[in-house]
Amino acid sequence: MFLRIASIILLVVFYQEVNAENVGNLNQSLSLRQQAIVTIAAFTTKGKPVELNQAIHEGLDVGLNISEVKEILIHTYAYAGFPRSLNGLNVLIQVLKERKQKGLKDKEGRDALPIPTNKSKLELGTEIQTKLIGEPIRGEVYTFAPVIDLFLKEHLFADIFSRDVLDFQSREIATISILSSLGGAEAQLRSHIKVALNVGLTENQLRNLISILELKVSWQDSQLAKNILDNTIKRDKNKFNTLSVDISYQNQNFTGKVWVEMLVSDDRTWNTQIGNVTFSPSSRTNWHYHPGGQILLVTKGPGYYQEKGNAVRIVNTGDIIKCPPNIIHWHGATTMEEFSHIAIGTNMQVGPVIWLQPVSEEEYLNK
């Protein structure tokens, strides 16, 4: 019994030390004021007044002024709706009464400067939106419902994002915290993680934001945000490192010139690996097999696919090829045209691709 109690005590001490270390790491990236934005925005979104009350107290204690806290709660309405925002503002009113009773005097802060009058709200909103995203926004939804595009530009970006009580980094910290806590907003969360990087927040700061969500708000919400951030970082790193090499002498797994762009690099959350592959005429893979299988989505044909012992298949744009696990095969271009496909490695936990000997000229031409 004594040993069991001693073990429990050691585990508790270890857990406390690990959490203390995590919080210490948070402080190195996000400031205390920025950390407070995370919890205020998240608990407002979740509609948890008790936790929000504490989060607002902590935010004011570390230096947020009243106008800044108020602005976080106002900002929340754009993503979580008026009810959550109004409820949050009522919690702030209560917190200020509590602090006044304790003799605490918080800085009021200032109001937002007026919107510039030398531009229309549409012009201003478009300018801010483009600056944040990095390019003009386009999409089928905006053509389908033009008024939503107008609302986004004139209201979200001109009326709200232009309010200078919070800078863009603070607004993105709030927005990511809101969208992570909201649920069902993965596409928007992905977009705002990219915006956060565009406005100067670092990968480490975003990981610290996610750690705050994990430690103080919701582990499940934090994992969704973590997965999206991981994939965003991987894709950005690969985006400008697309391989364009003569594989015949630099990579023994292909014959000819092949371009490979990794879209998802061995993602163990989904156990997949996804790449966009383009073969120059006459180029091809070696014989190989996948322990977990593979799916090929042909985006530009015609091309060739062959399983060991079977005849060569001609595949065309739009074809879907399901390569069963452990079946030896190869695929590549015809002698006349480029061939492209999306290669999806499935069940990657089983093991990576196994490369074998090159496809000889005789095998390639004996179709």
Side-chain angles (χ1 to χ4, degrees), residues 155-186:
H155 184 49
L156 178 61
F157 291 104
D159 285 337
I160 299 177
F161 268 81
S162 71
R163 291 171 57 84
D164 61 347
V165 175
L166 295 175
D167 60 21
F168 288 154
Q169 288 191 3
S170 297
R171 289 194 183 276
E172 287 309 314
I173 290 170
T175 302
I176 291 170
S177 304
I178 294 164
L179 295 173
S180 298
S181 303
L182 186 62
E186 289 82 358

Side-chain angles (χ1 to χ4, degrees), residues 7-259:
S7 298
I8 293 172
I9 292 172
L10 287 172
L11 284 173
V12 170
V13 171
F14 174 75
Y15 178 77
Q16 290 174 335
E17 289 177 349
V18 169
N19 274 353
E21 182 179 353
N22 285 341
V23 173
N25 287 338
L26 298 181
N27 293 340
Q28 293 173 9
S29 291
L30 290 178
S31 69
L32 292 175
R33 296 171 74 256
Q34 289 173 322
Q35 290 181 49
I37 293 173
V38 176
T39 51
I40 291 171
F43 286 131
T44 302
T45 302
K46 286 188 166 295
K48 293 190 172 182
V50 175
E51 292 85 350
L52 177 58
N53 183 293
Q54 180 180 347
I56 292 175
H57 273 293
E58 292 173 352
L60 293 169
D61 287 341
V62 299
L64 288 174
N65 62 49
I66 295 172
S67 291
E68 289 169 334
V69 176
K70 193 186 304 182
E71 193 69 24
I72 297 166
L73 302 174
I74 293 169
H75 182 91
T76 302
Y77 115 80
Y79 298 93
F82 275 116
R84 291 288 192 253
S85 180
L86 290 170
N87 291 343
L89 288 166
N90 282 323
V91 173
L92 173 58
I93 291 171
Q94 181 60 37
V95 167
L96 295 177
K97 290 178 180 178
E98 294 170 2
R99 294 174 72 83
K100 185 176 181 180
Q101 289 175 355
K102 294 178 181 179
L104 298 173
K105 186 172 179 59
D106 299 297
K107 293 181 180 179
E108 288 287 342
R110 62 174 181 81
D111 291 333
L113 295 175
I115 293 177
T117 57
N118 61 337
K119 298 177 182 177
S120 70
K121 287 208 297 185
L122 179 59
E123 291 172 329
L124 177 62
T126 302
E127 179 182 304
I128 293 173
Q129 183 189 51
T130 303
K131 179 179 181 180
L132 293 175
I133 295 172
E135 60 184 3
I137 190 168
R138 301 180 181 88
E140 185 178 11
V141 68
Y142 305 114
T143 304
F144 178 72
V147 70
I148 201 71
D149 186 40
L150 186 66
F151 288 165
L152 283 171
K153 289 181 168 69
E154 290 194 345
H155 184 49
L156 178 61
F157 291 104
D159 285 337
I160 299 177
F161 268 81
S162 71
R163 291 171 57 84
D164 61 347
V165 175
L166 295 175
D167 60 21
F168 288 154
Q169 288 191 3
S170 297
R171 289 194 183 276
E172 287 309 314
I173 290 170
T175 302
I176 291 170
S177 304
I178 294 164
L179 295 173
S180 298
S181 303
L182 186 62
E186 289 82 358
Q188 292 75 23
L189 179 56
R190 186 177 297 106
S191 295
H192 278 279
I193 283 177
K194 292 178 181 178
V195 171
L197 294 168
N198 287 345
V199 299
L201 289 168
T202 66
E203 176 186 347
N204 193 47
Q205 286 175 315
L206 293 179
R207 294 196 183 283
N208 286 181
L209 185 162
I210 292 167
S211 295
I212 294 171
L213 291 175
E214 179 179 357
L215 291 171
K216 296 187 175 183
V217 183
S218 165
W219 180 87
Q220 185 176 0
D221 295 344
S222 72
Q223 295 310 295
L224 172 64
K226 179 180 181 297
N227 290 337
I228 291 175
L229 176 60
D230 286 345
N231 289 334
T232 299
I233 295 299
K234 287 178 183 177
R235 184 157 188 169
D236 284 351
K237 285 180 178 178
N238 288 321
K239 183 177 180 181
F240 300 105
N241 290 296
T242 301
L243 300 179
S244 178
V245 295
D246 189 344
I247 304 295
S248 60
Y249 65 86
Q250 292 196 20
N251 188 320
Q252 299 304 308
N253 299 325
F254 295 84
T255 297
K257 184 174 288 187
V258 178
W259 293 264

